Amino acid sequence: MHYLDHSATTAVIPEAAQAALRAMCDAFGNPSSQHRMGIEAAAELKAARETIASAIGCSGGEIYFTSCGTESTNTALFGAAFKNRHFGKHIVTTAIEHAATLQTCKRLESEGFRVTYLQPDADGHITVEDFQNALEDGTILASVMLVNNELGTMMDVASFGKILKRRCPKALFHIDAVQGFCRVPLTPAKWSCDLMSISGHKIGAPKGIGALYMKKGTNLRPYLVGGGQESGMRSGTEAIPNIAAFAKACEIRMTHLKEDYALVERLNAALRNGISERFPWALVNGAADIPHVLNVSFPGCKSEVMLRVLESDEVYVSAGSACSKGKESHVLKAIGLDKARIDSALRVSFSPTNTEQDVEAFLNAVEKGAKMLKR
Ligand code: PLP
């Protein structure tokens, strides 16, 4: 099996699965219980919070566990818009965000907020100038992704944060760092960031766990209310097995961050070389800044058919984001690609578990597909 779809999701790291199993079967107490089992679960929760916090250089009190990146983003955007609605109704985001952000913004529009969707350049970047020009007196929130899930491009969040705080001091800055977490260093404090979303299943933890970084003093209205868990920000008994696994996966990934990055860089280079040698007619889409993602079109070879051909050789990639399920990619459209190029795009996304054999298997399968499909 050659799984090259790590932007969609990742396999759970065995040590993370072990941590979840232990929390499910042995240390299964409710962290709110007063007895020993509860106290042990609360200690597990605290330790996990500290692990995630240290990975992004913040304090444990600034990390709130959620069920996924989508929930973190919903909590951040609805909370920030509601908190700041007396100062203005204008929100800035980008046209290439994940659906978690775009759909939340659409909902906010239906509730009377106005949203500017910044368009990327042909490489897939949002320019600092465009960001600056979009800000108004009534801008109360900006939400920008760190790493684009389809292209692997990185946004200049440090400049955006600085400009936002200077021009609109009351505005809050949310960063969707789901695709950057444990791949590149995250430094919300240096980015003037108030809120940041991360997710477990992209880093080798199970599905069903995410976190929201909320800078101390931000105090948003909670999205879920009830028993007051997560300092009142996210009620519901904490999913300790998932949280323990998230912390373990994070610890492992952060310990190997540099060598993992170098490994993925080598795989990316092998892939690019293989593509340019064997398919000189293929077209790379966007200018990826991190090596974990490569988006490439094989004109004449429809992505959906190519996916099936690749699958028959146990090579798994994607035609766009997993959430878009066959719909035309809004990201590739936004960078101005024509239909033929969009319809023939494949996204290869690596994790440090991949090998050169995976790259070779992909290239061989594409060759087979191209022979069948290209006219
Ligand atoms: N943001 C980005 C950039 C993503 O790639 C994803 C998932 O693909 C999400 C948010 C949503 O994360 P989750 O699947 O944990 O809800």
Side-chain angles (χ1 to χ4, degrees), residues 15-28 44 241 244-245 248:
E15 290 93 325
Q18 285 296 334
L21 187 66
R22 193 179 39 76
M24 276 190 261
C25 301
D26 301 334
F28 60 84
E44 177 95 54
K248 183 48 85 179

Side-chain angles (χ1 to χ4, degrees), residues 281-297:
W281 44 273
L283 301 162
V284 170
N285 301 319
D289 300 300
I290 64 163
H292 300 71
V293 182
L294 188 70
N295 195 308
V296 56
S297 290

